[in-house]
Amino acid sequence: MLNADQILQEFITLWVVIDPIGTVPVFLAVTAGMSAVAQRKVAVRAVAVSAAVLLAFIVLGQLVLEALGLGLPSFQIAGGLVLFLFALTMIFGPAKPQREMAEEGMTQTAIHPIAIPSIASPGAMLAVVILTDNDRFSVQHQLQTSLILLVILGLTLGFLLMAGPILRVIGPAGASIVSRVMGMILAAVAVDAVLQGLVQIGALAPF
């Protein structure tokens, strides 16, 4: 059983890497042209996909990486590079999607970029693997960590469902500005993830 300190520590760790509040600007940027109903559908799908991905990493992530002979730092570097490419599209790409979107378009938007890599970010995937290390933690511990994860994803959904009123306040121009700013922040986060991965594998060992 996790004690109160461990629960708080894991909650804070997962909150930081998932960043529910930081996901809101990304959600606003890519759903600015959608109706309120479409935004709600995208929010629910994005959180559902994120939950499925992160829970799958809890169950299979470590086994798959070990089977492929890949270390966690290598995964972190790859994830950082993917996140950096996405950040560039936010900075230089269109400010918002087309105003009329097909059902397939909404599904794709929910998956990328909201679910992956915004909610289920490389950092979040890495964190859930570390927090449920099969060599250190029992199945009961892993189940409790999964429950904490689901609570945070539920809070994330709540923030996304409140994004509509926020968009009405800031308007399309505000959403465009937020998208560019978030792109710069995500680019910095991605570079930091790559550098941390390089340090872990010793590539940047001090002279």
Side-chain angles (χ1 to χ4, degrees):
M1 291 288 292
L2 292 173
N3 58 41
D5 289 339
Q6 289 174 317
I7 292 174
L8 180 61
Q9 182 180 6
E10 293 201 359
F11 182 91
I12 292 174
T13 299
L14 292 174
W15 179 274
V16 170
V17 295
I18 294 175
D19 191 11
I21 298 176
T23 301
V24 173
V26 179
F27 179 81
L28 287 173
V30 300
T31 63
M34 298 183 184
S35 66
V37 173
Q39 284 184 328
R40 286 194 294 270
K41 288 183 179 179
V42 170
V44 172
R45 288 173 181 170
V47 173
V49 170
S50 301
V53 170
L54 293 176
L55 290 174
F57 264 84
I58 288 177
V59 177
L60 300 173
Q62 184 176 354
L63 297 176
V64 172
L65 292 177
E66 289 178 352
L68 295 175
L70 299 176
L72 294 181
S74 299
F75 181 77
Q76 183 172 353
I77 293 171
L81 293 175
V82 171
L83 189 61
F84 182 76
L85 292 176
F86 165 63
L88 292 181
T89 66
M90 289 185 66
I91 298 171
F92 299 109
K96 61 181 180 179
Q98 298 178 357
R99 294 193 175 274
E100 298 296 331
M101 298 188 70
E103 183 74 11
E104 180 181 357
M106 288 195 299
T107 300
Q108 291 301 320
T109 300
I111 296 173
H112 176 83
I114 301 173
I116 304 170
S118 185
I119 301 175
S121 64
M125 298 177 192
L126 183 66
V128 297
V129 171
I130 293 174
L131 291 176
T132 58
D133 188 339
N134 296 333
D135 297 328
R136 294 190 295 151
F137 304 115
S138 65
V139 173
Q140 186 179 23
H141 182 121
Q142 294 177 12
L143 289 175
Q144 290 175 313
T145 300
S146 301
L147 180 59
I148 295 172
L149 169 66
L150 293 176
V151 169
I152 294 176
L153 290 176
L155 294 173
T156 302
L157 177 59
F159 282 115
L160 296 185
L161 292 177
M162 292 188 296
I166 296 174
L167 177 61
R168 285 193 291 272
V169 173
I170 67 175
S176 176
I177 294 171
V178 167
S179 176
R180 266 57 176 186
V181 173
M182 277 302 302
M184 289 297 298
I185 294 174
L186 286 176
V189 171
V191 171
D192 185 66
V194 172
L195 291 177
Q196 288 184 17
L198 290 174
V199 169
Q200 290 181 41
I201 62 175
L204 296 181
F207 295 101

